[in-house]
Amino acid sequence: MIWNEAIECADRSEIEKIQLEKLKKVVAHAYENQMPYRKKMEAAGVKPEDIQTLADITKLPFVTKDDLAENYPTGMWAVDKHDIVRVHASSGTTGKPKIAGYTRNDLEMWGECVARCLAMAGADQDSVVQVAYGYGLFTGGLGAHIGAEKMGCMVIPMSSGNTQKQLMFMQDMKTNILCCTPSYALTLAEAAEHAGLKPENLHLTGGVFGAEPWTEGMRWEIEKRLGLKAHDIYGLSEIMGPGVSASCDENAGMHIQDDYFYVEVLDPDTLEPVPDGEKGELVITTIGKEGMPMIRYRTRDICYITHEPCACGRTTTRMSRVFGRTDDMLIIRGVNVFPSQVETVIARFENKLTMNYKLYVGREDNKDTFELAVELADGLAIDDIKYVEALKADIDRELRSILGIGCKIRLLNPGTLPRSEGKAKRVEDTRNL
Ligand code: DLL
């Protein structure tokens, strides 16, 4: 099913007409109501009336995650707080998150975008949709939820974790659409196998998996082990959450909701556009959002796009899967982690730890592993087991409160880690994603 054929299959010229109209509107809105962006426009000497064609977007300044940090918590909001009805947040580069505010219209738009994505995965009004993304500040749970509800599905708001219970609901409620991270889909597959369940004992037909990088190999494995068709869904909290784009049955890239997001792919060094089919940094302009419009937001995600129509009949712009990032953000068990956040925690133990640390990220039994190795300060005894264990517990508590996930901690004698001779290599990620 195509949820909104009029838009998703419109002529490109029709789509571009809508985009231009909405681009002009959002630029005027930001200029009037988003002071940090107005300042940027003034510094660049550009006014809303300078936007007369879609190509004029290149006259506009970029927004980055630093703008969100500098204007923390709500300086990038462009409406009165009274009009914000929902808040979500994701990791910032330090202890403070990036906070997004949504108006009622923004939530309506979000539901529409996600409904389109669910339809790509075969969902309809009769579907039973099990949402196993986390509910809370993370956009995954409530984002998938709002789209499934809009579609009129029966939504099971499981949130993540509780794997045995997930399997019980899947069988007893005859879940046919599963929404979760691809790594959690594999965990569920493994648990199902341990419980002696075969794909045919489940009723799954489609999966809507995203929030972290994954590979074609993982997709095949999930499809085989859960007996469903796996679809990729992309999004980010600053822009909206899940639903910016998703893949259809053709598995030929993710369809972007062109009437809500205008995308550019730029060379991350020169910030010049690259041709369709060439990899670069995805830059997104929200052309329908009120609460926190983002103009030319540098996602740091690497992908390519195409404007060719898809065999499914949709004409929307398609993006490839995400190949990586231009910054050092890691996604571990679905949670965004910046090494700088870990550094903030280490710095809090200034008399006990040195700033010599290394993060090891790997994969065991389809689960991400995450370890912090850090050197003790000079003069501290590593063989005082009681002291070391208590210190580890303190570090773990602080890390959990900032990162939202736990981490194995290894304390080392001073001088153990190799010293940097240039850029310190703080992260060893062996997951090959
Ligand atoms: O991960 C939103 C989301 C929830 C998307 C559920 C899909 C499903 P954030 O926590 O702000 O938001 O993280 C956004 O995650 O910039 C990408 O680097 C990465 N990411 C999201 N979806 C995908 C995907 C949500 N399908 C960051 N493939 C983004 C690869 C993805 N990376």
Side-chain angles (χ1 to χ4, degrees), residues 200-227:
E200 52 273 25
N201 302 129
L202 300 171
H203 310 268
L204 296 170
T205 54
V208 184
F209 306 129
E212 63 184 3
W214 52 312
T215 55
E216 270 301 290
M218 256 173 104
R219 194 174 66 79
W220 294 328
E221 200 176 327
I222 295 171
E223 291 193 335
K224 188 175 73 196
R225 292 172 71 182
L226 284 177

Side-chain angles (χ1 to χ4, degrees), residues 81-154:
K81 283 199 187 126
H82 171 81
D83 295 319
I84 295 289
V85 297
R86 174 89 72 81
V87 162
H88 282 284
S90 69
S91 310
T93 42
T94 59
K96 299 286 190 187
K98 300 183 284 262
I99 299 188
Y102 302 70
T103 65
R104 209 169 284 287
N105 287 337
D106 292 341
L107 291 185
E108 177 55 36
M109 147 194 170
W110 194 4
E112 168 69 20
C113 291
V114 174
R116 291 182 197 171
C117 298
L118 289 169
M120 289 181 215
D124 62 22
Q125 285 81 348
D126 295 325
S127 292
V128 179
V129 178
Q130 188 157 329
V131 180
Y133 286 115
Y135 278 65
L137 287 174
F138 174 56
T139 51
L142 284 159
H145 189 113
I146 202 170
E149 245 180 31
K150 169 151 183 122
M151 183 173 262
C153 309
M154 184 199 293

Side-chain angles (χ1 to χ4, degrees), residues 1-10 112 116 313-315:
M1 174 178 59
I2 296 183
W3 179 250
N4 191 335
E5 223 171 301
I7 291 285
E8 294 176 84
C9 304
E112 168 69 20
R116 291 182 197 171
R314 293 178 183 84
T315 48

Side-chain angles (χ1 to χ4, degrees), residues 189-397:
E190 193 179 61
E193 284 154 14
H194 282 157
L197 291 170
K198 297 206 165 53
E200 52 273 25
N201 302 129
L202 300 171
H203 310 268
L204 296 170
T205 54
V208 184
F209 306 129
E212 63 184 3
W214 52 312
T215 55
E216 270 301 290
M218 256 173 104
R219 194 174 66 79
W220 294 328
E221 200 176 327
I222 295 171
E223 291 193 335
K224 188 175 73 196
R225 292 172 71 182
L226 284 177
L228 49 67
K229 182 126 182 50
H231 296 257
D232 200 355
I233 184 166
Y234 170 82
L236 56 165
S237 325
E238 303 90 299
I239 292 298
M240 184 180 76
V244 170
S245 62
S247 62
C248 65
D249 273 341
E250 301 296 324
N251 185 34
M254 294 185 270
H255 289 273
I256 294 169
Q257 316 306 338
D258 277 335
D259 51 332
Y260 292 113
F261 309 102
Y262 182 81
V263 300
E264 301 166 82
V265 176
L266 307 181
D267 177 318
D269 297 320
T270 62
L271 296 176
E272 290 299 323
V274 299
D276 275 16
E278 234 172 72
K279 285 184 196 169
E281 180 180 335
L282 183 70
V283 171
I284 306 181
T285 298
T286 61
I287 51 176
K289 230 168 60 157
E290 300 172 337
M292 191 172 82
M294 287 279 112
I295 297 177
R296 303 195 89 199
Y297 184 70
R298 292 189 58 187
T299 65
R300 308 285 165 177
D301 288 320
I302 300 288
C303 69
Y304 61 81
I305 57 171
T306 171
H307 291 89
E308 289 296 313
C310 180
C312 73
R314 293 178 183 84
T315 48
T316 39
T317 313
R318 276 171 293 151
M319 62 184 269
S320 64
R321 61 173 64 249
V322 175
F323 295 103
R325 294 188 49 92
T326 63
D327 64 7
D328 54 359
M329 187 179 91
L330 299 157
I331 304 183
I332 302 170
R333 293 175 224 134
V335 176
N336 302 351
V337 173
F338 288 97
S340 52
Q341 290 176 293
V342 177
E343 216 163 288
T344 309
V345 169
I346 297 174
R348 290 186 188 165
F349 293 84
E350 59 176 335
N351 299 320
K352 297 177 177 165
L353 302 176
T354 68
M355 292 309 286
N356 292 311
Y357 73 94
K358 191 146 180 170
L359 295 171
Y360 296 91
V361 189
R363 214 162 171 89
E364 258 168 40
D365 299 331
N366 290 317
K367 285 191 195 82
D368 290 338
T369 56
F370 181 30
E371 184 181 36
L372 162 68
V374 57
E375 291 180 7
L376 284 171
D378 262 339
L380 291 182
I382 201 146
D383 35 17
D384 182 344
I385 293 177
K386 240 177 157 172
Y387 174 80
V388 164
E389 288 309 316
L391 180 55
K392 276 189 186 176
D394 287 347
I395 303 168
D396 184 52
R397 199 169 36 248

